[in-house]
Amino acid sequence: MGGRTGIEEEELRTAKLNVQLREVFAAAFATMFADYEAFVIQNSPDLEAWLTNREQMHNFDKASFLSDQPEPFLPFLSRFIETQMFATFIDNKIMSQWEEKEPLLRVFDGRIEKARLYNVRAPSLRSSVYQKCTFLKESAQAIEQRLMKIHHTAIHPHLLDMKIGQGKYQQGFFPKLQADVLASGPTNNNRWSNRTGPAHRRRDWPRQQPDHLGLDNDLKEKYMQEARSLGKNLRQPKLSDLSPAVIAQTNWKFVEGLLKECRMKTKRMLVEKMGREAVELGHGEANITGLEENTLIASLCDLLERIWSHGLQVKQGKSALWSHLMHYQAREEKTEQQAESPVSNGQERRKSESSIGLPALRVSVVQDMRHIQNMGEIKTDVGRARAWIRLSLEKKLLSQHLKQLLSNQALTKKLYKRYAFLRCEEEKEQFLFHLLSLNAVDYFCFTSVFTTIMIPYRAVIIPIKKLSNAMTTSNPWVCVSGELGDSGIMQIPKNVLEMTFDSAFRPHTHISALFKCQNLGKLTTVQLGHDNAGLLAKWLVDCVMVRNEISGHTYKFPCGRWLGKGVDDGSLERILIGQLVAPCSDEEVVRGSKTPPPQRSPSQLRRISISSITGRGNKPTTDQIQEAISEAVNNIIKHFHKPEKERGSLTVLLCGEGGLVGALEQFFYHGFRIARLFQKNVFVWDFIERAVVYMESADQMGDLQETAEPLGLTCDSLCRYANAINNTSRNIGKDGKFQLLICLGARDRLLSNWLPLLVECPIITRMYEETALLRDRVAVSSLINVLQSLHDFPISLETSLTKGVDL
């Protein structure tokens, strides 16, 4: 060390930094792609067949691989696996089954194998948290040793033993070289050549140093022995020739280890999903929380694969679970054919949620397998097994499906040895019980991961029960929106009324439509409308039900109002806010599935508020109205203070039951002179329109020129927004326009600025009683302060709410 010059020290530091950076990146890639081999598609019998069909084949199951990764990795990985570099890497992996492994592939696979060997006792969870590289010190030592033991030293510059171009060359061009000298090998007539021996110039140097770490043999052997001693207790023992008593004794620890891991994983998943509630219950330990949902579900998939791989008679394919499912499917389909019935003993029908108009949804192991088999995005058995697990978990059927699968004991005995986990009755029952606990929370792990698949949806429009109101001569349409997009406007055949009977044999009429579109995610809104054509154009709709035909999730969108000109508020289109409906079959109730209660749409709140004010219902007091506004604003603030993954729908908090729009409507309708003798009812939007007309005329006459500039700008903004909403091509009715104004004002932080303008407008004295809240200066001032508390949060609106309004 002491004999090095400053230049050599700097060179050593640079070399160490370079190799340590390389180690960090190599370790990160090895962590991200630890299981990549399970998603490589190898369908060709030989190299020639693979090369022939190379351009037409899929070599990597991208959709399934991405579904297993932590969410923060997805933006990088989704692009990285599309690169030519990654395609070449996978090609080399496939060719390695027929040819010698490419050196860099051997290095990478060696790293993954070493990590797997060290983690055999407790398989590492995929996590978006950075995993510290543990090889930095060894890599720095290796580069230092390499510089101390010089392999080759370059010779000093010297004259070459040849003549270049015989002195003839053209100015500005490189001289012509002598072909005979270049064709001959190097001569050993200098004193530097003896430094380069065969020991330092091996062709297979990369093979001898697969990890580029330079670990000595003693250290390597120590690590290998340590890893073997860690893993020997959990390695599957060879017990085929032993007696049952010895089998039970030898295999007990391994089975117990799998059961314990299942208990821990299900607890982790429940705690992560319950969030703060789990912390309050005392389950918020640091070693449990902090892992994201997708990572935990991928870990559960790994565990199920290991359980299904334990004690196999003969391994078939890369996924033991999918292989078992395929055997089960073959037997069930054979039974169906023999019975000549579409529903076998292994299939059930789940009662349809709030089942008016929705036919019963077939539920079975095989049916869910068919959904997965129809997904062209998934190319491997491992990917299909994981997608099936995710779908079953989302439907709260994972435990039930696996119980059904294992109920075929003849098949289980055929596929598994006596000591297999799946043939240990007590442990198997505990395992299924732990999985049953996952039904206590809601997962969208299938819908949220496979975002590009086509999903069939069934929409049912349920009119009010009176038959005269159920008929319409107009042409109805519907547009379903979710977190991932919308279905587009779909025309529905008119007067295609179906009649069904409920459990009490009461008749119900409805219009049903089945459509298929790209996955919409969690459903949020439905736009329902018609073209007002014909003599019976007016339509009184009770609600709209929409069901995802794969996951079974059903959403209810209450309406309870008219669609038609000259009735209600003249709306030809309603925006309905939906909520997930709880399954109501007896078994689901026993399971205690946790689903939010269905909520009413804002239209129902409007009916309540209007009827209250006109004396046909219980009038809300001023205290109740102010409390409702405070509660609505508090809910929005709480929404933004939650972790992003725990947030619900902001649309529901704005426009749903107990939302900001409904609370402000009650404020504006308090003391409002809604009914006139021999005249049509008026709405709050009529007051807004007249106030805007007054402001615009006052501005033209110069009455507003003397006002303060901010107040003038606020006046301009209110007029501009109200006119833009009035000029939209959508026929959303007066209440719909008021809702849109509130939503846009909340988004753009203008509500608290508009209120003083409306209070000061002379129109208010003609349209409001003296006791109205809007004429109470203290109440208005308090409302302004409450609304200003929303200015710190970025409120974004769904496209379905703002469609057609360019502001």
Side-chain angles (χ1 to χ4, degrees), residues 31-144:
T31 302
M32 281 193 285
F33 290 93
D35 296 322
Y36 84 95
E37 194 171 350
F39 302 98
V40 176
I41 303 170
Q42 299 177 338
N43 290 329
S44 299
D46 52 56
L47 179 60
E48 186 177 350
W50 181 78
L51 290 172
T52 304
N53 302 308
R54 168 69 187 88
E55 297 302 322
Q56 290 79 33
M57 292 176 65
H58 291 279
N59 292 332
F60 193 70
D61 191 354
K62 297 173 184 176
S64 300
F65 174 76
L66 291 176
S67 74
D68 262 10
Q69 306 309 314
E71 194 171 341
F73 289 177
L74 296 182
F76 168 73
L77 287 176
S78 59
R79 292 166 176 80
F80 180 76
I81 62 176
E82 298 293 342
T83 60
Q84 183 60 46
M85 175 173 58
F86 184 75
T88 303
F89 172 77
I90 296 299
D91 287 350
N92 289 335
K93 180 66 180 177
I94 294 174
M95 288 191 291
S96 68
Q97 59 185 321
W98 303 294
E99 295 182 346
E100 189 176 2
K101 266 191 182 180
E102 195 266 338
L104 292 178
L105 175 64
R106 187 185 299 111
V107 171
F108 191 70
D109 283 354
R111 278 183 173 276
I112 292 175
E113 188 59 36
K114 177 180 284 188
R116 190 175 291 135
L117 192 63
Y118 289 166
N119 295 329
V120 69
R121 191 173 190 80
S124 58
L125 285 170
R126 298 174 187 82
S127 173
S128 56
V129 179
Y130 171 71
Q131 303 292 319
K132 187 176 180 181
C133 179
T134 57
F135 300 124
L136 293 183
K137 188 176 180 181
E138 290 92 336
S139 61
Q141 290 174 348
I143 197 70
E144 193 168 348

Side-chain angles (χ1 to χ4, degrees), residues 447-681:
T447 305
S448 61
V449 166
F450 299 103
T451 56
T452 60
I453 63 173
M454 299 298 288
I455 290 183
Y457 293 91
R458 184 179 295 276
V460 176
I461 304 169
I462 303 171
I464 295 295
K465 293 177 183 177
K466 293 179 182 177
L467 192 61
S468 59
N469 298 331
M471 300 288 289
T472 179
T473 56
S474 60
N475 299 295
W477 57 267
V478 70
C479 177
V480 182
S481 300
E483 293 179 346
L484 301 178
D486 64 63
S487 62
I489 292 177
M490 296 174 296
Q491 299 294 332
I492 297 174
K494 59 183 176 181
N495 290 331
V496 188
L497 281 178
E498 301 176 16
M499 185 171 288
T500 56
F501 294 88
D502 60 20
S503 56
F505 296 100
R506 292 184 296 252
H508 296 276
T509 55
H510 60 270
I511 296 174
S512 178
L514 188 66
F515 62 94
K516 200 170 188 178
C517 64
Q518 189 167 309
N519 185 3
L520 301 176
K522 295 180 187 177
L523 303 187
T524 52
T525 61
V526 159
Q527 298 164 70
L528 176 68
H530 63 71
D531 61 358
N532 205 46
L535 296 174
L536 296 173
K538 299 170 186 177
W539 199 20
L540 185 55
V541 177
D542 181 36
C543 67
V544 177
M545 306 286 292
V546 182
R547 183 173 68 194
N548 181 323
E549 294 291 284
I550 291 181
S551 71
H553 286 312
T554 304
Y555 297 81
K556 185 174 184 178
F557 301 84
C559 178
R561 297 189 72 175
W562 286 93
L563 283 86
K565 290 290 185 184
V567 65
D568 205 333
D569 65 343
S571 175
L572 294 181
E573 174 187 339
R574 299 281 181 202
I575 301 173
L576 310 179
I577 311 299
Q579 281 280 322
L580 188 65
V581 177
C584 61
S585 68
D586 296 337
E587 188 173 356
E588 295 293 342
V589 172
V590 172
R591 289 179 194 161
S593 56
K594 172 189 168 238
T595 310
Q599 296 193 0
R600 293 173 293 177
S601 284
S603 54
Q604 285 191 319
L605 294 172
R606 282 183 204 115
R607 279 199 304 161
I608 293 168
S609 61
I610 293 169
S611 64
S612 300
I613 291 160
T614 53
R616 293 193 295 271
N618 296 323
K619 292 183 180 180
T621 65
T622 55
D623 290 340
Q624 288 174 334
I625 292 172
Q626 289 174 317
E627 185 179 343
I629 293 172
S630 299
E631 186 68 22
V633 171
N634 278 337
N635 287 336
I636 294 174
I637 293 173
K638 288 177 187 175
H639 169 87
F640 286 104
H641 277 94
K642 289 179 182 177
E644 193 167 346
K645 62 180 180 179
E646 294 181 20
R647 295 176 186 175
S649 170
L650 187 58
T651 304
V652 172
L653 298 180
L654 288 170
C655 306
E657 181 182 9
L660 182 64
V661 173
L664 288 177
E665 272 192 343
Q666 289 187 344
F667 187 93
F668 273 87
Y669 272 116
H670 184 267
F672 186 64
R673 294 169 180 167
I674 191 168
R676 308 294 177 86
L677 195 62
F678 305 118
Q679 293 182 15
K680 292 182 179 178
N681 286 350

